[in-house]
Amino acid sequence: MREAGATRSKGKTIDNTADIEITVEEAKDLLSREPRTILIDIRSNRETCLGYLKGACFVVPGLIGEERSRLSPDPSTPVVVYCSVGDRSIPVT
C-alpha cells in the first residue's frame, strides 16, 4: 500500500507530497483516525469481483492524478492506494 501525503518520505507523489509504503495495519489505523482518507483500489475488475474494501474508489492506475484531484481538491487529504500484492501500487504515486 502507498499513502500519499504522509510525513515519512520515500519519494514524491504526483502532487509533490511525501509518499510512503505502509502496512495493512497502518492503513487500518490511518482510516480510523483520519476519516477523510481516500482509499483507492487499482486492481482489475476481475480482482475486485473477489472482494474489495468498503468505501474504496476504483481507479485505473494511469488516471490517479486526475482522479485524486476530483476525489478531494484538498492536497492535504491522505490517500491510500492499494492493489493485490503491491507491485502496481508502488509505482503509481
Side-chain angles (χ1 to χ4, degrees):
M1 292 188 166
R2 301 293 280 184
E3 177 197 354
T7 54
R8 298 177 316 206
S9 178
K10 276 191 164 183
K12 293 294 177 183
T13 61
I14 307 165
D15 59 359
N16 207 30
T17 57
D19 73 319
I20 60 171
E21 186 171 349
I22 62 174
T23 65
V24 171
E25 292 79 20
E26 289 171 317
K28 184 178 177 183
D29 179 57
L30 176 66
L31 290 164
S32 68
R33 76 178 194 289
E34 183 55 74
R36 62 191 186 112
T37 299
I38 299 170
L39 189 58
I40 298 178
D41 185 338
I42 59 168
R43 297 175 304 146
S44 70
N45 289 338
R46 188 180 76 204
E47 290 171 302
T48 58
C49 287
L50 299 173
Y52 57 91
L53 298 175
K54 184 179 178 181
C57 302
F58 304 98
V59 178
V60 176
L63 299 177
I64 292 231
E66 295 171 28
E67 290 297 306
R68 197 249 182 268
S69 298
R70 185 184 65 77
L71 293 168
S72 175
D74 180 358
S76 70
T77 301
V79 176
V80 174
V81 178
Y82 75 95
C83 63
S84 59
V85 178
D87 58 338
R88 287 173 284 184
S89 62
I90 288 173
V92 163
T93 59

